[in-house]
Each structure stands twice: as C-alpha cells, then as structure tokens.
C-alpha cells in the first residue's frame, strides 16, 4: 500500500493567541512533524513496517516561551478531548496519548518539542484527522543562586536551602556507576525548579558530581521525592550551591484543529 500524507492547516491556541502550523510564531506552539506507521501483523512486539518505529500515529509540536526555561510536560494537568479520523476511528487513548518527555533545545531552552501519539492509525479511506487537547508545560523564570554551608552527609540532616528545604537521606557507596559515593536528597516536592547543584569541599574546590536519578510520588496531596547524587570523592559533608528558578508556573496550550490525509 502506498501512503501519501497531506498536511493541511492546524490551528493551535495557547497563551500567545491563535497560531497556524507552519508559521514560525514569536511564542506559542506549532505542528512540526507527522508520522503514520502501519502495524506489522507478524510482529509480536507491536512494531511497524518502518524499521525501529512502533506502529501508530505521532504528531510533534514545537512550543516557545520567550523569557522562560521549559522544564517538563505536566501530564497530570494535560487532557485529551478527542483524537479521531473522519471514519470514526478513535486514535488516542486518554491514558496514553501524550509522551511525557519534553525535548528542550540545547541552545535555546525557551524552545522545545513534545509528542502526541496513538497506537492506532487512521482507517483506510480516511481523509481527515482531528485533535482537541490541552497540553500543560511547566516553565521556570528568575534564576537565582544560593549556598548552604557545611552540610553534613548524615541521614536526617536538614538542609534549609532558599531553593527548597530537603533532608539528607542514605549516604554511602552507590549501587552502580563509577561514583565514589552517593548522597540521597529527600524532599516533599519535586526538584524541577532546580537548574543545577554543586558540592563544594572544605578547601573550596567543586567536587565532580552527577545526578544518578530522581524518583517521586504523591499520595493524598502529599509528595515524597528523592534525588540521588553521585560524587567522585568521599567526603563527610560539603557546601551545597543551588541554582534554581524562583518562579515556576504551568502554562496550558490549547490544541484544537484538523488536517487532511490522502491514503
């Protein structure tokens, strides 16, 4: 089967007003990619005829928020209203329609892309698809720096950083990687507002460090989050230097439009 995709007009409404796909806006969102991959019926893993690609429909949108840094897609605050074709095929699963990963441009952190996806593909003979949704993106502004002096790496030590309060959790030899020691930082809210952290030794040099992973959950409105830091030196404590965005907000982008397909 030869498949030819014809991209038409998609109107995207966001904080910056109404935008049209293909027109580079000063701020807002625009459709920048479209992919439809037919499923391979002989593949038990749900892959498509396209090498390295799962079967389904994928739309890629670019967002811009000048003056801010894009942090993440807020999947819980996002909502799918409809994702269908004109044959009545439901393309989007309300629970699995939005890929939570936000790809932020390395050179311009106010610009990024996200994906709306579906496991289904338009029905044969379909000529149009319609998407109606709200995608919420967390953004940060007002970058600040602060230090908390002489923090002991002992479980239970409270760190009253201006960025956010947290406690020292488990410290010791990491379970994997080449770090000499790891330190768990525990908080009751996520670490998204933190742009970077440095650990300064007693003699003033910055200890080489890396983020080994972050986990978290919320239950009944209460959060529990842990970030594990790997250090290349074994130390009893350090001054923690934090760069963080003092203002974090969730910006909703309304997507409501349709485009044509010729199959």
């Amino acid at each position: 089967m030869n498949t030819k995709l014809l991209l038409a007009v998609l109107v995207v409404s966001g904080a910056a007003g109404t935008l049209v796909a293909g027109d580079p806006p000063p701020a807002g969102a625009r459709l920048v990619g479209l992919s439809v991959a037919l499923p391979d019926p002989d593949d038990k893993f749900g892959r498509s005829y396209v090498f390295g690609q799962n079967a389904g429909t994928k739309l890629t949108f670019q967002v811009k928020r000048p003056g801010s840094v894009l942090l993440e897609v807020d999947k819980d605050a996002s909502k799918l209203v409809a994702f269908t074709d004109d044959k009545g095929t439901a393309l989007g699963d309300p629970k699995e329609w939005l890929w939570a990963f936000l790809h932020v441009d390395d050179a311009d952190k106010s610009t990024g892309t996200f994906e709306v996806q579906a496991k289904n593909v338009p029905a044969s003979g379909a000529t149009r698809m319609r998407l109606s949704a709200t995608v919420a993106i967390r953004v940060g502004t007002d970058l600040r720096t602060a230090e908390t002096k002489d923090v002991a790496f002992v479980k239970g030590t409270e760190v009253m950083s201006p960025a956010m309060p947290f406690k020292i959790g488990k410290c010791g030899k990491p379970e994997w990687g080449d770090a000499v020691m790891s330190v768990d930082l525990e908080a009751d809210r996520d670490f998204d507002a933190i742009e970077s952290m440095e650990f300064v030794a007693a003699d003033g040099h910055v200890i080489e460090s890396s983020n080994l992973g972050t986990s978290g959950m919320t239950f009944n409105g209460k959060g529990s989050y842990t970030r594990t830091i790997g250090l290349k030196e074994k130390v009893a404590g350090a001054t923690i230097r934090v760069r963080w965005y003092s203002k974090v907000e969730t910006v909703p982008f309304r997507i409501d439009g349709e485009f044509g397909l010729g199959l």
Side-chain angles (χ1 to χ4, degrees):
M1 177 187 295
N2 292 325
T3 301
K4 184 179 180 182
L5 302 180
L6 301 176
L7 184 63
V9 173
L10 176 62
V11 177
V12 183
S13 299
T18 300
L19 305 163
V20 179
D23 294 335
R30 63 170 177 165
L31 182 68
V32 295
L34 167 63
S35 173
V36 176
L38 296 176
D40 181 350
D42 297 323
D43 189 283
K44 62 182 180 180
F45 298 107
R47 289 172 293 201
S48 70
Y49 288 108
V50 182
F51 179 75
Q53 185 170 327
N54 289 333
T57 305
K58 181 173 65 177
L59 305 177
T60 302
F61 292 89
Q62 182 189 67
V63 290
K64 290 176 176 287
R65 188 72 173 177
S68 302
V69 171
L70 303 182
L71 300 176
E72 66 167 356
V73 171
D74 188 339
K75 196 170 183 180
D76 292 337
S78 301
K79 182 180 180 180
L80 176 67
V81 177
F83 189 13
T84 62
D85 68 16
D86 59 352
K87 294 291 186 179
T89 307
L91 300 176
D93 182 336
K95 295 181 179 179
E96 298 181 0
W97 65 279
L98 181 63
W99 192 31
F101 178 73
L102 176 68
H103 178 75
V104 180
D105 188 282
D106 290 335
D108 178 9
K109 294 186 182 300
S110 68
T111 301
T113 57
F114 65 85
E115 293 179 358
V116 173
Q117 57 189 6
K119 293 181 180 180
N120 296 331
V121 298
S124 178
T127 60
R128 291 178 293 123
M129 288 195 295
R130 178 168 185 79
L131 173 63
S132 179
T134 298
V135 178
I137 296 181
R138 286 163 61 86
V139 304
T141 56
D142 193 16
L143 186 63
R144 300 184 181 186
T145 302
E147 292 185 351
T148 304
K149 300 286 188 180
D150 304 324
V151 176
F153 291 159
V154 177
K155 186 173 182 178
T157 299
E158 295 186 353
V159 183
M160 301 307 295
S161 170
M164 59 182 288
F166 56 89
K167 292 182 179 180
I168 302 298
K170 182 176 66 175
C171 304
K173 185 175 178 59
E175 297 179 359
W176 56 274
D178 58 359
V180 174
M181 72 175 293
S182 64
V183 178
D184 283 356
L185 310 179
E186 300 175 346
D188 59 6
R189 56 190 169 108
D190 61 52
F191 292 84
D192 294 336
I194 293 181
E195 190 268 346
S196 65
M197 302 183 80
E198 290 183 332
F199 299 82
V200 184
D203 63 2
H205 79 276
V206 176
I207 303 169
E208 186 177 347
S209 64
S210 60
N211 181 2
L212 299 182
T214 303
S215 61
M217 62 177 292
T218 57
F219 183 74
N220 289 335
K222 296 182 179 180
S224 177
Y225 298 86
T226 300
R227 172 167 290 185
T228 301
I229 303 295
L231 301 174
K232 287 297 184 71
E233 302 174 30
K234 186 175 181 178
V235 291
T239 291
I240 301 180
R241 181 182 298 148
V242 180
R243 287 167 58 84
W244 84 101
Y245 298 100
S246 66
K247 298 179 182 178
V248 176
E249 62 178 326
T250 298
V251 179
F253 290 92
R254 176 70 180 156
I255 302 171
D256 192 2
E258 63 180 38
F259 49 95
L261 292 174
L263 298 181

